[in-house]
């Protein structure tokens, strides 16, 4: 904060406090700033955290890394030998078991052994996750700086 001016009608009361007890003035200013500024920052942090919410994976990860059925980030991608579509292994197996072994895109019967592991995509996703694992840290560090 700037030093309040005693001659300024808007700063007159603040200037009196400042010149009467500078230490108390600065403590009061810091308390008020932390209280009011932190509320706004905390709200902004919450808004930012929504971008990293696992429930909103569809919006926060590249489309090509998401399972066609569940729209969640894949960890064990497999390709349907019928349509060439890529799915998360556990999701497509569950789907096939619940839908009489019929592939979701073509409704053609497919056996689990006809699902082909997509190792290249799996490696790309692993690299993507490694590159983005510290994504939230920049504002977590900022919040620590603001509070101290």
């Amino acid at each position: 904060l700037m030093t309040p001016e005693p001659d300024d009608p808007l700063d007159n009361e603040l200037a009196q406090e400042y010149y009467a007890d500078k230490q108390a003035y600065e403590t009061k200013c810091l308390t008020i700033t932390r209280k009011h500024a932190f509320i706004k920052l905390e709200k902004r942090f919450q808004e930012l955290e929504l971008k990293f919410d696992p429930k909103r994976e569809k919006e926060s990860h590249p489309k090509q890394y998401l399972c066609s059925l569940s729209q969640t980030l894949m960890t064990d991608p497999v390709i349907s030998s019928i349509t060439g579509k890529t799915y998360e292994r556990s999701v497509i197996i569950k789907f096939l078991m619940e839908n009489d072994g019929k592939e979701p895109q073509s409704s053609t019967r497919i056996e689990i052994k006809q699902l082909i592991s997509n190792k290249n995509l799996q490696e790309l996703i692993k690299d993507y996750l490694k590159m983005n694992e510290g994504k939230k840290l920049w504002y977590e560090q900022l919040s620590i700086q603001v509070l101290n």
Side-chain angles (χ1 to χ4, degrees), residues 91-104:
V91 173
I92 188 64
I93 289 174
K94 181 180 179 195
F95 182 89
L96 293 172
M97 292 172 77
E98 292 172 353
N99 293 280
D100 200 29
K102 292 182 180 175
E103 207 271 346

Side-chain angles (χ1 to χ4, degrees), residues 23-37:
Q23 181 77 26
Y25 172 83
E26 289 176 351
T27 302
K28 181 180 176 182
C29 288
L30 184 60
T31 302
I32 291 169
T33 302
R34 281 186 175 166
K35 178 182 176 185
H36 296 283

Side-chain angles (χ1 to χ4, degrees), residues 9 20 32 35 42 47 49 51-52 64 82 87 94 98 109 117 120 125 133 145:
I32 291 169
K35 178 182 176 185
E42 185 177 40
E47 290 169 2
E49 285 179 311
K51 294 179 183 172
F52 303 102
Q64 64 270 26
I82 304 289
Y87 305 99
K94 181 180 179 195
E98 292 172 353
R109 290 185 62 82
S117 287
N120 289 335
I125 293 170
E133 67 186 346
Q145 292 171 4

Side-chain angles (χ1 to χ4, degrees), residues 1-147:
L1 293 173
M2 295 174 34
T3 305
E5 297 292 326
D7 297 332
D8 184 341
L10 297 175
D11 278 353
N12 189 8
E13 193 175 314
L14 292 174
Q16 289 174 8
E17 287 180 39
Y18 177 82
Y19 289 111
D21 187 352
K22 186 177 177 185
Q23 181 77 26
Y25 172 83
E26 289 176 351
T27 302
K28 181 180 176 182
C29 288
L30 184 60
T31 302
I32 291 169
T33 302
R34 281 186 175 166
K35 178 182 176 185
H36 296 283
F38 180 71
I39 290 170
K40 290 177 184 171
L41 282 174
E42 185 177 40
K43 184 178 179 193
R44 181 66 181 135
F45 292 153
Q46 289 169 352
E47 290 169 2
L48 289 169
E49 285 179 311
L50 290 177
K51 294 179 183 172
F52 303 102
D53 186 347
K55 294 174 188 164
R56 297 181 65 188
E57 283 185 282
K58 184 177 180 179
E59 297 172 22
S60 58
H61 299 298
K63 188 171 98 172
Q64 64 270 26
Y65 296 163
L66 303 179
C67 172
S68 300
L69 284 174
S70 67
Q71 294 299 306
T72 56
L73 188 68
M74 294 182 283
T75 56
D76 187 11
V78 293
I79 302 170
S80 163
S81 61
I82 304 289
T83 61
K85 280 283 196 187
T86 302
Y87 305 99
E88 173 64 26
R89 183 183 303 275
S90 60
V91 173
I92 188 64
I93 289 174
K94 181 180 179 195
F95 182 89
L96 293 172
M97 292 172 77
E98 292 172 353
N99 293 280
D100 200 29
K102 292 182 180 175
E103 207 271 346
Q105 294 291 313
S106 66
S107 297
T108 305
R109 290 185 62 82
I110 184 173
E111 293 188 29
I112 293 171
K113 63 183 177 185
Q114 291 176 285
L115 299 172
I116 305 158
S117 287
N118 191 337
K119 296 293 183 187
N120 289 335
L121 181 58
Q122 188 175 34
E123 287 304 311
L124 287 171
I125 293 170
K126 282 180 185 177
D127 291 344
Y128 163 77
L129 289 173
K130 284 179 189 172
M131 284 179 17
N132 290 289
E133 67 186 346
K135 215 171 194 178
K136 288 171 70 172
L137 293 178
W138 71 269
Y139 66 85
E140 290 172 343
Q141 291 172 353
L142 177 61
S143 66
I144 291 166
Q145 292 171 4
V146 169
L147 293 173

